């Protein structure tokens, strides 16, 4: 399963369950730790997830609005 396909599930689980470790998240998602770790890094880079004071992964908002540019710059 790709991050693109898993993204809505990924974000919903984090929002519903609250902050958790990457290992916990991988277990809940039924995915490999390494792949989830990579995905979390990408999601942090683009600002869709953040870290708690305890370094747990979290989604601190209820809604995500995306803006996509379709033409080449």
């Amino acid at each position: 399963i790709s991050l693109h396909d898993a993204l809505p599930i990924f974000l919903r689980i984090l929002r519903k369950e609250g902050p958790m470790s990457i290992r916990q998240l991988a277990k809940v998602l039924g995915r490999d730790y390494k792949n989830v770790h990579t995905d979390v890094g990408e999601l942090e880079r683009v600002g869709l997830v953040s870290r708690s004071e305890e370094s747990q992964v979290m989604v601190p908002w209820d809604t995500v609005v995306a803006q996509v540019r379709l033409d080449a710059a």
Side-chain angles (χ1 to χ4, degrees):
I1 188 167
S2 71
L3 176 58
H4 179 270
D5 295 334
L7 184 59
I9 297 166
F10 201 105
L11 296 177
R12 281 188 186 110
I13 286 173
L14 280 171
R15 183 64 187 150
K16 180 181 175 189
E17 302 297 326
M20 63 178 70
S21 69
I22 293 175
R23 189 164 308 284
Q24 289 171 307
L25 181 58
K27 185 175 181 179
V28 169
L29 292 170
R31 296 184 60 214
D32 179 72
Y33 171 87
K34 183 179 177 192
N35 292 334
V36 173
H37 184 274
T38 300
D39 292 348
V40 166
E42 282 296 308
L43 293 173
E44 281 184 293
R45 186 181 66 76
V46 298
L48 289 175
V49 300
S50 59
R51 297 282 186 145
S52 69
E53 290 181 16
E54 297 81 23
S55 295
Q56 293 185 318
V57 182
M58 63 184 212
V59 174
W61 39 80
D62 294 321
T63 304
V64 174
V65 178
Q67 191 174 47
V68 180
R69 185 176 178 138
L70 300 175
D71 60 336

